[in-house]
Amino acid sequence: MSLLISRHDAVADEHVVVGGFAHLAEALPAPDAPDSHNRLLLLPMTLRAHGIDSSLEIFTCQRPVKFFSDGPFTGFVGDGWVYGQALLNEADFVGDESESPLSALASFAYEHVLAPSLPLNGMNLARCWNYLPDINGLENNLERYRWFNIGRHAAFARHGRLPHRAAAHAVPAACALGVGGNKVGISFLGVDGALTAIENGNQISAYDYPHDYGPKAPMFSRAVRTSISGAPCLFVSGTASITGHQTMHKGDVTAQTDLAIDHIEHLLAQLIEPFSASNSYVKAYVRYPEDCDDVLDVLRTRWPQVMERGKLSVLIADICRNDLDVEIELCCGLLAATK
C-alpha cells in the first residue's frame, strides 16, 4: 500500500509523514519548509486522548510525493492518492441573513475540495474529516452542525454530486466532531480507485434524513470501499447508536457502543474482502471522559484484537447529535505495522 496510517512513534524509516491529526496542541512538532517532503501538515485539534498514547496519528508514504497548495488547502499527492487539509477561521466568513459564517465556511471549503482540478486533480473523494468548534451549540436558533450541513450540501449540489442526481458513490465517507478552539479543521483523502458506497439496511442513509435533523441532510455514505494503486481499502464513517434515523439508548453509553459496533459489523459483512476491526485502525470518540472506561470495556469484549498497540485511539469529543455519547470509525487496509 502506498499510503499508511499509524501512530507517530511507529513510522517506518523509509516512510515520510504527509499529514494527520495532532489531538493535543502541545504535541505538534514545528513544520519544515513548505517544499520539504517531511513537512508535517497536522491539524492541532483540542481533542483529548484517553488511556493510551494516541495524541498524534499520521498518514505516511514512501517517496516520491508532491506538495500542493490550493485555496485554504495544503497537502501532498502520491502514488494513487491525494491528501489535503485546512484550518479555517469562521471570523473570515460573513453570511447573509439566510446563512451563518459556519455555513459559508463549509460551502467555501467544499467548493475547493470538489473542484475538478486541484486539489483532487481527477481522483475520487473517498473520505472527509470535519472538526467543528461547539458543534452542538445554537446559532440563530439552529444547531451549528446543521448550519455546517447547509453549506456542505450547497457545494455538493453546485457540483452535481447529490446522491440522487449522480451515482451514490459521489458521496464520501465522513465524520463530524465537536472540538475546542475557534478554528474549523477539514481534511480529505482522494484516491485513484473507483468508489463503492455501502449503506446499512438498519439505518436510513444520512443523505435521506428527514428535516427533523435540519434543512439539509448530511452528505456522507455509511462506508466507502475503494482502492489505492490497486490495493483495496475501506473507510467506515463515524458510526453511532442510530436505528432508522432515530437515536437509540439515550444516556446509556454501553448500549450505544454495542449498537455502533453492531452497525459496523453489518457493513463489514456485506464485503467479500476480509476487512475486519482486527486489521483496521479504529477511532472512538467519547463525549464524556468518565464514559471512556465503559466504552473500552465494550471494545475489549467485542473486538479484543483492536486493543493491541497502535490500532486504537479513544478521544474526547462532542458527537454531532447532543443525545449521542459515542461514535466509532474505521480505516481498513491502511494500517501500518507496529514497531
Side-chain angles (χ1 to χ4, degrees), residues 62-319:
Q62 293 180 312
R63 292 180 175 89
V65 293
K66 180 181 179 182
F67 176 79
F68 79 83
S69 177
D70 181 72
F73 288 92
T74 54
F76 287 98
V77 180
D79 182 17
W81 58 267
V82 55
Y83 177 86
Q85 53 195 38
L87 278 174
L88 301 106
N89 199 330
E90 288 182 57
D92 296 334
F93 297 85
V94 178
D96 59 28
E97 294 181 357
S98 65
E99 64 178 356
S100 73
L102 181 57
S103 176
L105 181 155
S107 179
F108 171 82
Y110 274 92
E111 180 68 32
H112 279 275
V113 171
L114 295 168
S117 55
L118 285 174
L120 279 178
N121 199 25
M123 294 195 195
N124 299 308
L125 183 62
R127 182 61 160 98
C128 296
W129 296 261
N130 305 285
Y131 295 99
L132 318 178
D134 193 22
I135 192 171
N136 301 130
L138 291 179
E139 185 176 304
N140 296 329
N141 297 314
L142 190 66
E143 187 183 48
R144 282 171 49 78
Y145 176 56
R146 299 181 183 189
W147 280 117
F148 176 83
N149 285 333
I150 290 171
R152 177 170 56 174
H153 188 281
F156 274 81
R158 284 194 299 271
H159 285 272
R161 298 288 294 272
L162 297 182
H164 299 299
R165 296 184 181 180
H169 66 232
V171 184
C175 61
L177 284 305
V179 298
N182 59 6
K183 291 187 177 180
V184 175
I186 297 176
S187 183
F188 71 88
L189 178 66
V191 301
D192 61 351
L195 309 183
T196 301
I198 302 167
E199 294 298 316
N200 183 346
N202 297 318
Q203 296 179 303
I204 291 176
S205 297
Y207 46 75
D208 283 334
Y209 279 171
H211 286 169
D212 308 50
Y213 304 98
K216 297 296 181 182
M219 287 289 102
F220 68 89
S221 298
R222 297 295 178 190
V224 166
R225 180 202 176 280
T226 186
S227 61
I228 299 176
S229 297
C233 54
L234 176 78
F235 300 99
V236 177
S237 297
T239 303
S241 179
I242 296 170
T243 296
H245 59 77
Q246 296 180 325
T247 298
M248 309 299 290
H249 309 301
K250 297 178 183 179
D252 186 341
V253 73
T254 297
Q256 286 196 16
T257 307
D258 255 325
L259 183 55
I261 291 174
D262 287 344
H263 286 321
I264 292 171
E265 291 188 341
H266 182 77
L267 290 169
L268 295 174
Q270 300 179 52
L271 303 169
I272 59 173
E273 295 87 0
F275 290 132
S276 68
S278 63
N279 60 14
S280 302
Y281 186 85
V282 178
K283 194 187 304 181
Y285 299 98
V286 184
R287 183 180 294 273
Y288 301 112
E290 60 268 27
D291 287 340
C292 283
D293 287 338
D294 290 334
V295 172
L296 284 167
D297 284 344
V298 177
L299 289 168
R300 192 175 290 112
T301 300
R302 298 286 303 270
W303 290 343
Q305 290 176 298
V306 166
M307 307 304 295
E308 297 174 7
R309 180 175 179 269
K311 291 185 176 180
L312 172 68
S313 291
V314 178
L315 301 162
I316 310 304
D318 291 331
I319 316 302

Side-chain angles (χ1 to χ4, degrees), residues 7-9 17 20-31 40-49 52-58 315:
R7 287 187 350 185
H8 65 289
D9 59 353
V17 175
F21 308 94
H23 298 300
L24 297 173
E26 60 268 26
L28 266 179
L40 301 182
L41 301 169
L42 297 168
L43 298 177
M45 300 285 96
T46 52
L47 297 163
R48 292 198 290 117
I52 52 178
D53 181 13
S54 56
S55 62
L56 200 65
E57 63 186 82
I58 53 180
L315 301 162

